[in-house]
Amino acid sequence: YSSKRGTELSHRFLYVGQLVERKGLLSFLRTLARWAAAHAERVVEFTLAGDGPLRSALESECVPSNLKLTFCGDVPYVDLPKLYANAGIFIFPTLADSWGVVVNEALANGLPILGSVYSQAVEELVEEGGNGWLFRPDNPEETYNALDRSLNTSADSLNKMREHARATAMKLAPADIAGLIDDAILKTIEARK
């Protein structure tokens, strides 16, 4: 397995999840369209896997010709690794998520995360500039600046971020999590003595 991506895939965006208001996709797409319009020399690809009531609004959004949107609809879980392998950066612009297991999946597949601070998974696992970029999706300028940082990261730097992403995910192995729980229990017991 290699986390490295060729130049043609390095900046390709992927979102996996429900197409619902809470996921912040419409405002993210509008900000991405604004970035693409300001950088007409760059082609930006954004694949969305999943379905929901927001799909028709997303599909009908007016975007510049250099922004290529692909809507996959619902994708069987067994086919997700192929989507992750053909992407460069995972997008998670949620307005509210207690965790967001897709963040773990994307990291495990070597994808840096362009993610919302309103997801506990992003808050806990994503390190700005290390394995992703953070933003508040209800702040269009902050979203734009995070997009700009991600899209202007070199392919070599992105490949280093991919390795960091996988290393982050590997720290979440069951034995490691069990060790963290054991440590928390022991500290609680010690504190009560």
Side-chain angles (χ1 to χ4, degrees), residues 42-56:
R42 298 271 304 269
V43 173
V44 181
E45 296 178 71
F46 186 19
T47 299
L48 295 98
D51 219 334
L54 199 59
R55 182 171 176 168
S56 62

Side-chain angles (χ1 to χ4, degrees), residues 65-129:
S65 61
N66 62 321
L67 176 51
K68 310 294 184 198
L69 300 176
T70 303
F71 292 88
C72 300
D74 287 326
V75 175
Y77 189 76
V78 297
D79 294 335
L80 287 177
K82 185 188 290 185
L83 278 179
Y84 286 119
N86 286 308
I89 297 171
F90 190 80
I91 305 301
F92 198 60
T94 189
L95 297 169
D97 259 286
S98 55
W99 188 258
V101 76
V102 290
V103 172
N104 300 60
E105 291 174 1
L107 289 168
N109 281 280
L111 294 182
I113 309 295
L114 178 56
S116 164
V117 297
Y118 302 136
S119 160
Q120 187 179 358
V122 169
E123 192 176 58
E124 294 284 329
L125 302 175
V126 178
E127 174 191 330
E128 175 69 37

Side-chain angles (χ1 to χ4, degrees), residues 68-192:
K68 310 294 184 198
L69 300 176
T70 303
F71 292 88
C72 300
D74 287 326
V75 175
Y77 189 76
V78 297
D79 294 335
L80 287 177
K82 185 188 290 185
L83 278 179
Y84 286 119
N86 286 308
I89 297 171
F90 190 80
I91 305 301
F92 198 60
T94 189
L95 297 169
D97 259 286
S98 55
W99 188 258
V101 76
V102 290
V103 172
N104 300 60
E105 291 174 1
L107 289 168
N109 281 280
L111 294 182
I113 309 295
L114 178 56
S116 164
V117 297
Y118 302 136
S119 160
Q120 187 179 358
V122 169
E123 192 176 58
E124 294 284 329
L125 302 175
V126 178
E127 174 191 330
E128 175 69 37
N131 61 2
W133 308 267
L134 306 169
F135 66 96
R136 285 178 296 152
D138 51 357
N139 182 323
E141 286 313 303
E142 196 173 304
T143 303
Y144 187 95
N145 290 334
L147 266 166
D148 192 60
R149 288 192 307 276
S150 72
L151 287 165
N152 285 304
T153 300
S154 73
D156 285 344
S157 293
L158 281 171
N159 281 330
K160 288 177 183 148
M161 291 178 83
R162 289 181 222 304
E163 293 300 326
H164 186 89
R166 285 204 28 89
T168 300
M170 295 303 105
K171 290 179 189 171
L172 300 173
D176 297 319
I177 299 301
L180 292 173
I181 292 169
D182 284 348
D183 290 346
I185 291 169
L186 290 173
K187 286 178 184 170
T188 302
I189 291 170
E190 289 298 316
R192 291 183 172 180

Side-chain angles (χ1 to χ4, degrees), residues 11-30:
H11 292 93
R12 184 179 291 165
F13 289 147
L14 173 66
Y15 168 83
V16 175
Q18 298 174 315
L19 305 184
V20 296
E21 291 285 337
R22 180 174 55 87
K23 297 299 183 174
L25 291 163
L26 202 51
S27 73
F28 179 82
L29 181 57
R30 289 175 179 154

